[in-house]
Amino acid sequence: MLRTRVIPALLLLNESLVKTYQFGKYRYIGDPCNTLRIFNELEVDELIILDIAATRTGCGPNFELLTDIANECFMPLCYGGGISEFDQAKRIFNIGFEKVSLNSSCFSRPELVTKLSEHYGSQAVIASIDVKKNMFGKYEVMANNGKVSTKRSPIEWAEELESLGAGEILLTSIDKEGTWDGYDIDLVKQVSEVVSVPVIANGGAGSVEHARQAVKDGNASAVAMGSCVVFQKKGMGVLVNFPEPSSLKGLSNDCE
């Protein structure tokens, strides 16, 4: 039985790593390459890097920094942020990244999802969905780093992205992000039940037990972790870490 993937999700801002709270205020974490060296030593299986300013500023991916990151890392890498053209994604793959994550471009250029999937395989394309509850408690897909509501249902949007060729869904709860309170299990379950591709639960992880809940109760195929792998504890200082292999034993949605 394969263990469920536990994936550090790191946020880039102006060539530094930061950690946000509900897509708003943020704390400085450190230099990307220094941080990634630690994750190398911790033998992390996979890693997601998201540039949270690349689309908003229009600057696109920082290829020089991404080259340094790829040269530093030994684990499979996914990059997202500011990818709006096929040639940008091609350059990222050529640098050494195994996957790309698309968010805003899924709205503006949905054909890009299909083109990348056909060229590199669906396993190389992660569709990122950011979700927030509106004032009536209804889930809505958000765009532009969580600033603009698309009025779309995450369930319908996930189905559409799968049909376009996305091989995975990175599902982030904005309301839970950075809280340490656990994943939005209802959201994860609703999306996982309507798509056949893996769903990566993101937003709110504070412990391995939260990951177990996302997998067992939410049917997530994988979990992403942010705050709890870059801080000592909630409200404390920076400490890059990763759960001990023994604590992840049995982390599978097939286990009893």
Side-chain angles (χ1 to χ4, degrees):
M1 181 183 299
L2 295 176
R3 175 170 57 83
T4 297
R5 292 172 294 152
V6 178
I7 309 169
L10 306 179
L11 306 180
L12 275 175
L13 178 65
N14 300 328
E15 300 190 2
S16 296
L17 291 180
V18 300
K19 185 66 194 77
T20 54
Y21 175 80
Q22 295 181 334
F23 281 37
K25 62 182 181 180
Y26 62 86
R27 290 179 62 184
Y28 173 77
I29 301 301
D31 174 78
C33 289
N34 288 338
T35 302
L36 294 173
R37 290 188 192 103
I38 300 174
F39 280 121
N40 276 335
E41 295 172 0
L42 294 171
E43 299 183 347
V44 170
D45 295 329
E46 187 175 344
L47 201 144
I48 296 173
I49 298 172
L50 303 172
D51 190 322
I52 60 175
T55 296
R56 174 174 54 82
T57 61
C59 61
N62 184 335
F63 295 110
E64 182 176 354
L65 178 59
L66 294 182
T67 299
D68 292 341
I69 288 172
N71 289 338
E72 193 65 54
C73 286
F74 303 140
M75 75 287 285
L77 292 169
C78 170
Y79 169 79
I83 302 173
S84 59
E85 302 289 342
F86 179 87
D87 287 345
Q88 290 175 316
K90 179 180 179 181
R91 188 171 176 183
I92 291 167
F93 284 123
N94 289 341
I95 285 172
F97 283 73
E98 283 77 16
K99 300 178 182 180
V100 293
S101 175
L102 305 177
N103 191 315
S104 295
S105 58
C106 293
F107 300 103
S108 60
R109 294 197 60 201
E111 70 276 5
L112 181 60
V113 178
T114 304
K115 187 173 181 180
L116 287 171
S117 177
E118 291 175 348
H119 191 86
Y120 291 100
S122 62
Q123 81 290 336
V125 183
I126 297 180
S128 176
I129 304 178
D130 300 329
V131 182
K132 186 178 180 65
K133 285 184 178 180
N134 64 19
M135 61 184 297
F136 303 106
K138 182 179 179 180
Y139 292 121
E140 290 184 349
V141 178
M142 306 296 288
N144 296 343
N145 200 30
K147 301 297 189 295
V148 178
S149 174
T150 67
K151 307 299 183 183
R152 288 177 177 264
S153 157
I155 297 173
E156 295 172 355
W157 185 227
E159 290 179 308
E160 185 173 342
L161 290 170
E162 180 181 20
S163 69
L164 287 169
E168 287 187 272
I169 302 292
L170 175 62
L171 183 65
T172 303
S173 166
I174 297 176
D175 298 307
K176 289 283 193 174
E177 194 261 339
T179 65
W180 296 73
D181 292 338
Y183 301 93
D184 187 328
I185 303 300
D186 289 339
L187 172 64
V188 175
K189 184 176 182 180
Q190 287 182 35
V191 173
S192 296
E193 287 180 344
V194 299
V195 296
S196 59
V197 297
V199 173
I200 306 170
N202 188 35
S207 67
V208 172
E209 183 55 34
H210 288 156
R212 294 186 194 282
Q213 293 170 356
V215 172
K216 189 173 183 60
D217 299 329
N219 296 323
S221 300
V223 293
M225 290 185 169
S227 295
C228 63
V229 296
V230 295
F231 293 122
Q232 297 177 50
K233 292 181 180 180
K234 185 176 182 178
M236 297 184 68
V238 174
L239 177 65
V240 179
N241 68 95
F242 194 70
E244 292 289 337
S246 59
S247 71
L248 299 176
K249 186 176 181 181
L251 183 60
S252 167
N253 54 9
D254 294 324
C255 66
E256 297 294 326

